[in-house]
Amino acid sequence: MPISSPIGHLDSDCFYVSAERVRFPCLRGIPVGVLGNQGACVIAKSYELKAAGVKTRVPIWEARKICPEAVFVKRDFRWYEVLSRKMLDVLADVSPLVEYYSIDEMFFDASELPRVFGGSMREAALQLQQRMLQEVGVPVSIGIGESKTMAKLGSDTSKPFGVHTLHELTDKQRFDYLKSIPVGELCGVGRRSQAKLEQHRIFNCLDFIRADSKFIQNLLTIKGEALWYELQGESINKIATSRPPHKAISRGGSLGGKTAIAKQQHAWAVRNVERLIEAMDFHGVFARKFSLSLERPNDYGWGGHVVLSEPTNSFKLLCAVFREMLDRSDSRDKAISHMHLIAEKLSYRNEIQRTLFETTYSTHDGRPITESPIDQLATLKQQINQKVGRFAIRSGETLHLPEIYADETNDYDICDVQGKMCF
Amino acid sequence: MCQGIALSQCEIPESLIERYELSERIIRRGEGNIEFRFLLAERFPVLPLWHEGQFLILSWGNRNRHNKLPVSAWCSQESLEAGAWHHLRPREVFIPASFAWDRGVWYQVREGLKGVVVKDCDRKQHVYVLTQPATHYYEVMTRNNREPVMVGETI
Ligand SMILES: [Mg+2]
């Protein structure tokens, strides 16, 4: 087996609830549900609520029936971000290399842990767990392994508040461990891949690594093959400190009912473009591919996308892009109930050589839209909003949506953290 | 609006627990702290409140049609501002709460609710919970189009 630095994966246990408990201790020990954007569904739950049988994404009116004693809390992503950065700071203090994987998950180079804390790797990881609890206030689970896949398996299978050091297992222990984990639990094996594997009698991770690597590659492409090596203990996916944390960023949701009025549909699109850009700004990324998906209760839904020649975060350009898609969707006089905007092909801003030329893209009928890459108005808007608070300044085009302005609770409704989308 | 509140044990001075016989109201939610519950559905509903540095427990609203007080548990902020309660000389009070209950949903309250205290014709004091139009979020959460006025936050 090749020798490489042990990799750690740290994952907070029921992060949103734990974050709320940091500042509101009376939420400790009781069933707690964090509600999404509109107050309609449970986006995160405490272990007590889970034990009562409430699942994530369940609507509140069902959740309260299943668990009448549950207490519901309004989500506050600003607070979760504050704690997330704190977790990152603690980790960066004990590890030379940290990858911010999601708001509550981080990969890190664990090689220094025993030296920093003293003792074995397991003892060191336990101490790191205590330090997170003391300095940030949130319980975390930690997995250590030779690869990212193994590290993540380790933290996943030690929840809640556990530590799993998989690189220290004997071969026998490792095989028993891998045998206990269904292939579907692997990060990157979706339901379709799982079905394919099961057709070939590959049910658990031990079956998986006992299959031939080329066979796996044929079945699941080279991504599957990488998993095969990672499960063998060979690190293929390196810790990426500059990898954009998400593959896609999405904003949108319910239009607070439905609307067939073109002006209002446009206004929601503009509003969601503002939110999308705000999220891209937070992560420090540009995007090149933009998709729009519309739910129309009385008609087929609609989905479309546009790929630009250059990555961007230009408000003017994105407004044009989404307006074009909205026109193309032919939704005039059709009621839209939900709208989702998705940014993909993300890249970090500092890695991009900003073009001095204008960004051009073609619509489906070949009509070019050109915008200067330097959007002074957007820059100014961003600067003011950073000082005064998110969305203090909004585009005038959202004035067709008085409810957004009337409702304070819509002020910074950022709700979709990867894997936990809820609208 | 709300039809009940729960108050964490740490929010009430120990000495008052005995004086007001609050131990009957003790409930333990899950493995959490002990809390005291005050529900509108009780036979004689009451609410705890702080007024001018004093902790009191008063009748919640009014069900008597003959004492000149509004028959309700709530006082709408709009009616208060329009002067409809002026003749009763309402005084604003702070109702401490950890959680509030509305149409079967418990939700978290950071500090507490605002209320008004008025006297009936026998000079007995009653407390009404101050309400306002619900935000979109609150309305979806509870299916109620009115919400209590909270101290230091709007849900
Ligand atoms: Mg987590």
Side-chain angles (χ1 to χ4, degrees), chain A residues 10-15 47 102 104-105 159 420:
Chain A
L10 180 142
D11 184 355
S12 165
D13 305 333
C14 58
F15 180 59
Y47 284 99
S102 77
D104 75 325
E105 284 182 62
K159 281 188 167 299
K420 288 175 184 162

Side-chain angles (χ1 to χ4, degrees), chain A residues 64-107:
Chain A
R64 76 165 170 85
K65 275 186 220 150
I66 301 169
C67 184
E69 290 290 277
V71 172
F72 295 95
V73 182
K74 189 178 171 183
R75 80 283 176 274
D76 179 356
F77 282 93
R78 270 198 221 193
W79 175 243
Y80 308 156
E81 284 164 16
V82 168
L83 292 189
S84 178
R85 301 276 149 181
K86 263 186 159 178
M87 283 167 65
L88 191 61
D89 287 346
V90 170
L91 208 47
D93 205 31
V94 300
S95 168
L97 205 59
V98 182
E99 174 180 335
Y100 190 77
Y101 187 67
S102 77
I103 194 161
D104 75 325
E105 284 182 62
M106 288 140 213
F107 285 104

Side-chain angles (χ1 to χ4, degrees), chain A residues 107-299:
Chain A
F107 285 104
F108 60 100
D109 178 342
S111 55
E112 296 286 305
L113 283 196
R115 195 184 57 77
V116 172
F117 288 103
S120 68
M121 181 63 89
R122 187 180 157 72
E123 286 161 349
L126 284 166
Q127 286 203 45
L128 172 61
Q129 189 182 45
Q130 284 303 321
R131 191 161 159 194
M132 280 288 170
L133 194 59
Q134 276 156 18
E135 291 187 20
V136 188
V138 299
V140 299
S141 294
I142 298 172
I144 312 273
E146 298 98 335
S147 62
K148 284 167 90 172
T149 304
M150 290 303 280
K152 184 158 165 56
L153 270 185
S155 69
D156 283 352
T157 51
S158 66
K159 281 188 167 299
F161 205 59
V163 163
H164 232 324
T165 46
L166 297 177
H167 69 301
E168 290 174 339
L169 299 182
T170 63
D171 279 353
K172 164 93 175 63
Q173 286 170 326
R174 163 190 289 272
F175 289 156
D176 287 347
Y177 177 75
L178 290 176
K179 197 173 173 181
S180 71
I181 297 165
V183 278
E185 307 258 304
L186 281 175
C187 189
V189 175
R191 230 170 258 170
R192 273 207 347 237
S193 304
Q194 187 183 352
K196 275 192 214 168
L197 289 166
E198 286 179 357
Q199 271 179 0
H200 294 91
R201 309 202 56 76
I202 297 171
F203 297 103
N204 58 51
C205 292
L206 185 63
D207 299 337
F208 189 87
I209 59 165
R210 283 189 169 160
D212 184 72
S213 68
K214 288 298 155 214
F215 173 77
I216 297 290
Q217 191 196 337
N218 278 336
L219 212 57
L220 305 180
T221 75
I222 58 166
K223 281 188 182 162
E225 193 192 12
L227 268 182
W228 187 88
Y229 281 110
E230 292 241 316
L231 282 176
Q232 300 277 7
E234 196 169 328
S235 173
I236 302 293
N237 302 316
K238 301 293 176 203
I239 296 174
T241 49
S242 64
R243 184 185 71 88
H246 306 284
K247 259 195 120 153
I249 294 177
S250 151
R251 285 296 181 268
S254 157
L255 306 195
K258 54 188 177 185
T259 180
I261 303 165
K263 254 187 184 167
Q264 287 194 355
Q265 294 175 351
H266 277 139
W268 276 105
V270 171
R271 160 88 174 123
N272 284 322
V273 165
E274 286 180 335
R275 295 173 61 202
L276 189 67
I277 291 174
E278 202 268 354
M280 287 163 58
D281 286 345
F282 173 74
H283 292 294
V285 294
F286 287 149
R288 212 157 65 75
K289 180 179 173 186
F290 297 92
S291 311
L292 177 68
S293 113
L294 303 172
E295 287 174 38
R296 299 187 293 210
N298 311 323
D299 190 33

Side-chain angles (χ1 to χ4, degrees), chain B residues 25-39:
Chain B
R25 301 183 169 275
I26 286 180
I27 284 181
R28 183 183 280 272
R29 194 190 297 262
E31 296 298 308
N33 291 327
I34 284 170
E35 62 185 50
F36 302 93
R37 279 195 196 171
F38 301 86
L39 302 178

